[in-house]
């Protein structure tokens, strides 16, 4: 949206443009959209793909490999794919429980019971044609308390846990640049990443728009609508 | 928001685990785990980020706000990370307001509240 319409525009603005022009996009937006689509067709590898998405550019094959492996793992963990084609893949609920319990069991003792759920024929998720007759479980946590060994754990022990379970902390604390970052600084950085890296802010959209505009000018010589239309048609 | 003297790695770890639990609710619907976590370690949760959840994956609609926020009585700083679909969702803000009323009733006192609009 930001790439095509420009910064400070939202879905209402798009609706306004369409309503005001008999349901058609105006020439400028249409041209920009076309240019963006042409760019998608030009993407030939994953390096260009990440670049086109506006994500951090990878510098070498190793980084690219790590990122792709991480993407597949993350996608699998979130249950985005694989259910239909891999019958043996664990249920996303079980994966989520495993993930959370792995973090919790490091410092706490849990009493968790597992209840077997009977399938509901009206529920499309339990359709045996898609997923097979898989047993589903519901987990009930009855009690949670500190492990004896963690009741009076030192800051170093908690730090080791953070490093073990969170990659961004391990990365910060094991590099020479930021090895002395405090927990408060790491929390601030985590919040900043959550707020800015994963979401496209207006400032980021403006920055990307400027980059795009410069590329259009470099490619086409100018950015005027008429000239763009002619060059697009040509 | 994060005091260098009082916010240590213990608080950081518990904050990250708690936020992961919140993120996983639409998948596992496991509120019991969250309630037990708050009961046992809630005193360490002083700064938390909350993202709105996909209502369609929850039977309780936005009621989860009432189930969680009032229990976090040690909370001093709360950041709500909102995206476009929430801006005009009066229902979400109605539940949020109610949850703050119960939070205060339970003895909670917020110093900071942030709305991060993506």
């Amino acid at each position: 949206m930001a790439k095509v319409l420009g910064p400070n525009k939202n879905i209402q603005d798009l609706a306004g443009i369409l309503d005001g022009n008999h349901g058609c996009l105006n020439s400028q937006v249409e041209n920009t959209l076309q240019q963006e689509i042409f760019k998608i067709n030009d993407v030939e590898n994953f390096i260009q793909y990440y670049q086109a998405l506006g994500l951090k550019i990878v510098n070498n094959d190793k980084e690219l490999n790590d990122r792709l492996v991480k993407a597949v793992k993350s996608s699998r963990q979130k249950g985005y794919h694989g259910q239909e084609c891999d019958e043996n893949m664990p249920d996303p609920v079980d994966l989520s429980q495993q993930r959370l319990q792995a973090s919790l069991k490091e410092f706490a003792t849990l009493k968790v019971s597992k209840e077997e759920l009977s399938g509901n024929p009206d529920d499309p998720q339990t359709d045996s044609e898609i997923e097979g007759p898989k047993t589903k479980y519901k987990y009930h946590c009855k009690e949670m308390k500190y492990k004896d060994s963690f009741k009076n754990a030192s800051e170093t022990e908690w730090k080791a846990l953070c490093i073990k379970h969170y990659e961004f902390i391990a990365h910060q604390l094991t590099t020479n640049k930021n090895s002395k970052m405090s927990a408060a600084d790491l929390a601030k950085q985590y919040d900043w990443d959550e707020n800015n890296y994963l979401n496209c802010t207006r400032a980021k959209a403006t920055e990307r728009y400027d980059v795009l505009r410069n590329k259009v000018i470099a490619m086409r010589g100018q950015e005027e609508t008429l000239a763009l239309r002619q060059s697009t048609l040509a | 928001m994060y005091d260098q003297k009082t916010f240590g790695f213990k608080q950081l770890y518990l904050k990250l685990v708690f936020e992961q639990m919140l993120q996983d609710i639409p998948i596992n619907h496991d509120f019991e785990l969250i309630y037990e976590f708050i009961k046992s370690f809630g005193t360490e949760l002083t700064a938390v980020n909350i993202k709105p959840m996909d209502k369609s994956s929850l039977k309780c609609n936005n009621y989860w706000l009432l189930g969680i926020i009032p229990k976090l009585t040690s909370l001093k700083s709360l950041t709500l990370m909102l995206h476009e679909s929430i801006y005009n969702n009066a229902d979400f803000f109605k539940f949020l307001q109610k949850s703050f009323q119960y939070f205060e009733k339970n003895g909670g006192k917020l110093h900071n509240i942030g709305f991060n609009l993506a």
Side-chain angles (χ1 to χ4, degrees), chain B residues 2-114:
Chain B
Y2 298 106
D3 186 0
Q4 296 282 359
K5 285 177 190 163
T6 55
F7 193 90
F9 281 95
K10 178 181 181 179
Q11 286 75 18
L12 175 64
Y13 188 75
L14 294 173
K15 167 194 153 73
L16 294 173
V17 172
F18 180 71
E19 287 179 11
Q20 182 66 60
M21 281 179 177
L22 284 179
Q23 256 180 42
D24 277 13
I25 282 186
I27 304 170
N28 61 28
H29 302 177
D30 196 348
F31 284 96
E32 288 171 38
L33 188 73
I34 292 223
Y35 294 156
E36 281 299 322
F37 185 88
I38 296 173
K39 210 160 84 182
S40 308
F41 316 116
T43 48
E44 307 293 347
L45 296 170
T46 52
V48 165
N49 292 330
I50 290 185
K51 290 178 189 171
M53 293 175 202
D54 175 17
K55 278 201 307 184
S56 59
S57 61
L58 296 170
K59 282 183 192 167
C60 64
N61 204 338
N62 284 314
Y63 195 82
W64 61 272
L65 286 165
L66 277 170
I68 292 172
I69 293 179
K71 290 186 172 66
L72 299 168
T73 48
S74 298
L75 204 63
K76 297 291 170 234
S77 172
L78 175 71
T79 307
L80 289 145
M81 298 162 84
L82 308 176
H83 48 75
E84 229 169 281
S85 61
I86 295 292
Y87 295 169
N88 298 322
N89 186 344
D91 195 43
F92 175 83
F93 290 100
K94 198 177 83 186
F95 277 97
L96 187 65
Q97 187 197 9
K98 240 179 191 175
S99 67
F100 282 137
Q101 284 171 359
Y102 285 112
F103 171 76
E104 209 179 347
K105 219 175 175 180
N106 290 348
K109 208 174 176 186
L110 267 187
H111 293 176
N112 262 323
I113 178 160

Side-chain angles (χ1 to χ4, degrees), chain A residues 34-49:
Chain A
Q34 279 182 335
Q35 299 304 322
E36 284 299 320
I37 291 168
F38 293 157
K39 276 193 202 167
I40 294 170
N41 287 333
D42 289 339
V43 171
E44 284 178 358
N45 53 47
F46 274 109
I47 292 176
Q48 288 174 7
Y49 169 73

